[in-house]
Amino acid sequence: MHGGGDSLPLRARGLIGDTATAALVAADGTIDWWCPGRFDAPAALFRLLDAGGGAVRVAPAGPPIAGDQSYVERTNVLRTVLNAGEAALEVVDLLPWARGRVDGRIVRIITARRGPVDVTVEVRPGSAFGPARDVTTWSEGIAFDGVAVHTGAPVDGRVARFRLDAGERRVVTIEAVDGRPDPLSVDAALDLLDRTEVAWRSHLEPLTYDGPYRAAVERSFLVLRALTTSYGSVIAAPTTSLPGRIGGERNWDHRYSWVRDAALAVDAAYDAGLPEEAERFVEWLAGVCGREEFPLRAAYRLDGEVLDDADEREVDLDGWRHSQPVRVGARTDGDLQLDFYADVVSAVHTEQVLAGDRRVPAMWPALGGMTDWLSEAWARPDRGIWEFRSAPRQLVFSKLASWYVLDRMARLATARNPLDLSAPLWRVAANDVAGWLDAHGIAADGGLRQDTSSADLVDAALVQVVWRNPWAPDTRVAERTVDRVIQRLGDGPFVYRYGDTTDDGLPPGEGAFLACSFWVVEALARLGRWDEAHARMEELCSFTAPLGLVPEQADPRTRDFLGNLPQAVAHLALVQAALALDDGPG
């Protein structure tokens, strides 16, 4: 099979999703990534990670040629236009979704915009990251290992061919089903399309943000909703093992739910005027916090259950542009991470406490237990926000996050009940952490350093000191930290997580991290450095064009996407950067 896979850059793909699973559609009309039924299911279409992987291509006859992709306005419905000489073919892809109901099929509506067009539907069967075992064909379709492709035309081998005159339509469907599915008529497909478009636009209606980055914020919330499961969990990304460096081994499975992402999603949705969306995330978060003993794990299954560390394994695939290993599953074997509790606490707003929001009493016992535990645990070495695979160490960002939890919870407890006896104890612990930061966290240039082992190590996460500042209202440490990060980790608008001299337990080398790049924008905006912030924001949004999907990482030199795509935490950072910029001069 030709088409899809690593013959196209990673950025030449659009996402379709329905809150249960997602697929990536390459610009040449190939769906080369899809996990049937669930985000974390074994992939049936995975040519993205191996030339022999499953895929379904719809395109004009002839060699694959990349077309132009765009989203139907304010939806997750993807349009790909493929030119063939004087003719042109439009492929509209969707996973139908309406009023929270999931249809389960990938629907591909094929229209000859200029014709006639000779169309090819090419199928490479795949199953569970490997070859399909049981392949059958019938007059208008191919079935393999519980997946069926209705091609809409007679199949010869693995290919169906037909001609469309200008304005004529056909429908191709891909679904997880045993046996032969009933064909979907053009009229029924157009009805599903209409319902799905209405549902996505309705989702955005409550959005209150109306600043200059409205399109990017809308796309971010559309992506986040597509990646939010029926449990209320948001997956980190719908893909696995897309590398942080081509040929490198920093290849991870992000098809699970990180506590940090869920908490940040609450904050972003609440701040942007999507309270129902915020409630969905809160329910999952409250379930995890209320059921588990502390420390929490960094990531969980979609339903909030604990991941089995033995599930992380390597599969025998070539990898994206030969980047190995290809990993399936995520390891969260109890390594201590102290940072993400700050994001959990940040998701509880003072206004909610004062207004008697019903979610606060439901979460308060778990939050209190978390803070009691952290009032002692903060002093321990940990593996931090980046989940280092080297030995635990005294990370400054983890201490900063711990201070924020203790300080904020003391304030929230007092607002909730001025006689709360926990508040003074948490205040004492917060002061202890602030003292540690004074004594051990500040480098010679006045900015925060990564850890206590060396004054030279820098960490981009530390720019969050701008909004989690133990020295407020004094901003000198915050200013110097931001400048330190930009100078040492910046490359144009892009920012690396940390330098190659940081021992993270893996061979050095990766792309710039998009979440960090947007955190710097937010930090500059909060410091009132509006021109710098806007300039960076505009470049970063331009980088994600034309579809607005934000990857995990970027190569600043080639402007290629790197890492899993799209990345929830990067989209969340974009939203908060846009909201921070909205507070400044117009």
Side-chain angles (χ1 to χ4, degrees):
M1 180 180 187
H2 301 286
D6 59 15
S7 62
L8 292 171
L10 190 56
R11 64 161 53 248
R13 278 166 183 80
L15 172 87
I16 57 172
D18 63 0
T19 76
T21 188
L24 293 182
V25 184
D28 63 4
T30 305
I31 295 181
D32 57 8
W33 180 257
W34 176 60
C35 301
R38 286 175 60 99
F39 292 109
D40 56 353
L45 305 183
F46 56 92
R47 185 172 169 78
L48 186 69
L49 296 177
D50 192 281
V56 177
R57 183 169 75 96
V58 173
I65 298 175
D68 296 321
Q69 290 188 301
S70 61
Y71 280 106
V72 176
E73 186 179 9
R74 306 177 76 226
T75 76
N76 280 319
V77 175
L78 186 69
R79 181 190 294 115
T80 305
V81 177
L82 301 156
N83 292 314
E86 297 299 316
L89 188 72
E90 177 189 80
V91 184
V92 171
D93 285 295
L94 65 147
L95 275 156
W97 179 75
R99 296 181 180 177
R101 296 177 60 185
V102 175
D103 180 87
R105 289 175 287 191
I106 296 175
V107 176
R108 316 197 74 183
I109 303 172
I110 309 158
T111 306
R113 287 302 175 200
R114 297 191 304 274
V117 185
D118 291 319
V119 181
T120 297
V121 180
E122 187 177 3
V123 180
R124 179 183 288 276
S127 177
F129 295 106
R133 298 175 297 279
D134 182 16
V135 182
T136 60
T137 62
W138 70 95
S139 59
E140 291 191 355
I142 302 175
F144 46 94
D145 295 0
V147 173
V149 181
H150 196 282
T151 57
V155 175
D156 180 7
R158 301 287 187 266
V159 180
R161 298 179 176 87
F162 52 86
R163 170 169 285 198
L164 294 179
D165 290 326
E168 192 177 358
R169 289 189 172 100
R170 292 273 182 105
V171 176
V172 170
T173 59
I174 308 166
E175 56 190 301
V177 63
D178 290 322
R180 302 180 185 181
D182 293 330
L184 184 67
S185 70
V186 170
D187 286 345
L190 292 175
D191 182 62
L192 286 173
L193 173 63
D194 182 63
R195 292 171 183 267
T196 300
E197 290 179 1
V198 168
W200 287 123
R201 290 176 183 137
S202 297
H203 173 65
L204 293 175
E205 281 181 4
L207 186 66
T208 56
Y209 172 77
D210 197 28
Y213 308 103
R214 170 88 184 196
V217 169
E218 285 186 344
R219 177 54 49 201
S220 291
F221 276 115
L222 287 167
V223 168
L224 291 165
R225 186 66 186 99
L227 301 185
T228 301
T229 72
S230 60
Y231 302 105
S233 55
V234 57
I235 64 164
T239 56
T240 181
S241 299
L242 294 174
R245 179 173 64 85
I246 304 301
E249 63 181 73
R250 296 169 181 266
N251 316 321
W252 313 109
D253 192 348
H254 283 170
R255 298 173 301 148
Y256 303 100
S257 298
W258 267 253
V259 174
R260 177 186 304 106
D261 294 1
L264 290 171
V266 175
D267 226 10
Y270 186 88
D271 290 345
L274 298 173
E276 289 186 10
E277 192 76 347
E279 281 194 33
R280 186 177 291 109
F281 299 131
V282 165
E283 288 173 6
W284 184 85
L285 199 59
V288 169
C289 292
R291 184 172 62 250
E292 280 273 90
E293 294 184 356
F294 297 99
L296 299 176
R297 299 203 177 204
Y300 291 83
R301 294 191 180 280
L302 309 185
D303 59 3
E305 294 299 320
V306 173
L307 282 160
D308 185 345
D309 299 319
D311 283 351
E312 184 179 282
R313 60 189 176 89
E314 297 178 8
V315 294
D316 186 20
L317 299 177
D318 286 343
W320 172 262
R321 297 186 175 171
H322 305 288
S323 302
Q324 294 183 329
V326 174
R327 294 184 175 92
V328 174
R331 192 193 82 176
T332 60
D333 55 4
D335 287 346
L336 184 64
Q337 287 179 244
L338 296 172
D339 64 281
F340 62 80
Y341 300 99
D343 298 310
V344 173
V345 171
S346 182
V348 181
H349 292 248
T350 305
E351 299 93 322
Q352 293 171 288
V353 173
L354 296 176
D357 190 306
R358 64 175 178 82
R359 291 166 291 180
V360 174
M363 287 190 69
W364 194 260
L367 291 173
M370 178 188 79
T371 310
D372 286 338
W373 168 80
L374 195 63
S375 66
E376 296 184 1
W378 72 266
R380 295 165 58 184
D382 76 321
R383 288 197 163 92
I385 184 172
W386 308 126
E387 302 176 15
F388 291 150
R389 296 204 168 194
S390 53
R393 66 191 83 170
Q394 296 289 359
L395 292 162
V396 173
F397 182 70
S398 294
K399 310 309 180 191
L400 182 69
S402 298
W403 170 84
Y404 178 82
V405 172
L406 293 161
D407 176 78
R408 185 173 177 82
M409 281 297 291
R411 293 174 187 271
L412 289 173
T414 301
R416 185 168 178 263
N417 177 7
L419 300 180
D420 191 317
L421 297 179
S422 296
L425 300 176
W426 295 339
R427 171 61 56 210
V428 169
N431 290 338
D432 289 343
V433 184
W436 187 97
L437 289 165
D438 267 327
H440 305 289
I442 301 175
D445 62 6
L448 294 175
R449 58 183 182 169
Q450 185 181 64
D451 62 44
T452 56
S453 67
S454 170
D456 291 330
L457 296 179
V458 187
D459 193 314
L462 288 166
V463 299
Q464 295 185 31
V465 69
V466 174
W467 55 94
R468 295 172 178 172
N469 184 3
W471 299 277
D474 187 341
T475 62
R476 284 176 294 179
V477 171
E479 290 266 11
R480 290 166 183 168
T481 300
V482 172
D483 287 336
R484 193 171 201 250
V485 166
I486 291 172
Q487 290 163 9
R488 299 195 184 191
L489 300 178
D491 189 335
F494 302 103
V495 177
Y496 291 87
R497 295 189 292 178
Y498 43 82
D500 285 347
T501 56
T502 291
D503 176 16
D504 61 5
L506 294 166
E510 64 174 2
F513 208 69
L514 269 297
C516 296
S517 305
F518 286 112
W519 288 341
V520 167
V521 173
E522 182 179 358
L524 290 168
R526 287 174 178 258
L527 291 170
R529 293 161 62 173
W530 304 109
D531 290 345
E532 292 176 71
H534 276 292
R536 286 175 171 271
M537 187 71 169
E538 287 165 7
E539 279 199 73
L540 291 170
C541 289
S542 176
F543 165 73
T544 68
L547 295 180
L549 301 182
V550 185
E552 180 186 8
Q553 298 182 35
D555 183 329
R557 181 180 58 83
T558 65
R559 297 295 176 110
D560 285 343
F561 286 9
L562 294 170
N564 286 306
L565 173 76
Q567 192 78 2
V569 70
H571 277 282
L572 289 163
L574 182 157
V575 169
Q576 293 293 16
L579 293 173
L581 284 164
D582 210 36
D583 291 335

